[in-house]
Amino acid sequence: MAKKEESNMNNDSERPSIIVGVENGTAIPQNAAPLFNGIEEEQIPVAVREIDIDNVLSRAYQSALASRLSVGIAFDGDRFIVHYKNLKENKPLFDKTISDGKQLRVLGANAARLVKGIPFKEMVNR
C-alpha cells in the first residue's frame, strides 16, 4: 500500500487545507489533538507539513503562505499561533498560550472560521 500513502501525500499538497507547520522530524504531540478536532468540526481540511524554521512565529507565517486557504498554524509547547497570509509576519491573528483542550479546540475552530469568513467563537480564559 505504499502507493496509496504516496498518493495521499500528493493529494495533501494539492488539496486546499489549513497548514500546520512543524519543524523537520517533529511529531504532533497528543495535547494538540483538540486543535485538529476544532478545525475538522468546521469541515475544513487540515494538513501537517514540515517547515524547517525554528522561530514559531515565522513558521506559522510560512505555513499560511504555503496554504491554498491562506491560513497557517504553528506551535511550540503550549504556544499556538494562527496566521493569515495577508497579515504582516510579526502580526499573527492569534498568538495564545493554551494548555486547556477546550480552548485549543476553539482556536482550531476559529482558524477554520477564518477560512469560512464567519464570526469567531469566543475564547474564554478559565
Side-chain angles (χ1 to χ4, degrees):
M1 282 291 169
K3 284 192 178 229
K4 184 175 184 187
E5 280 183 36
E6 187 176 303
S7 68
N8 283 344
M9 287 173 39
N10 291 338
N11 287 343
D12 280 349
S13 65
E14 294 173 15
R15 184 176 187 196
S17 303
I18 291 173
I19 301 293
V20 177
V22 297
E23 288 186 83
N24 289 349
T26 303
I28 301 291
Q30 190 64 33
N31 69 336
L35 176 77
F36 291 88
N37 295 339
I39 295 168
E40 290 170 4
E41 282 175 2
E42 295 290 334
Q43 301 177 338
I44 298 295
V46 62
V48 176
R49 184 175 298 171
E50 288 186 346
I51 297 180
D52 201 21
I53 298 173
D54 62 357
N55 179 304
V56 67
L57 183 59
S58 295
R59 192 167 60 248
Y61 183 68
Q62 290 302 316
S63 298
L65 293 178
S67 167
R68 289 181 53 198
L69 298 178
S70 303
V71 178
I73 300 173
F75 56 88
D76 185 12
D78 287 344
R79 182 180 179 198
F80 292 84
I81 297 174
V82 175
H83 222 309
Y84 184 64
K85 81 169 190 176
N86 292 343
L87 298 175
K88 292 183 180 183
E89 183 173 347
N90 64 344
K91 301 284 186 186
L93 183 63
F94 296 109
D95 185 345
K96 303 269 185 193
T97 300
I98 301 173
S99 57
D100 177 66
K102 288 180 182 177
Q103 291 303 301
L104 195 51
R105 187 180 210 124
V106 170
L107 184 67
N110 284 342
R113 285 171 168 244
L114 175 61
V115 172
K116 294 167 89 173
I118 62 174
F120 296 132
K121 291 183 175 186
E122 185 175 347
M123 295 195 68
V124 180
N125 293 329
R126 293 180 185 206

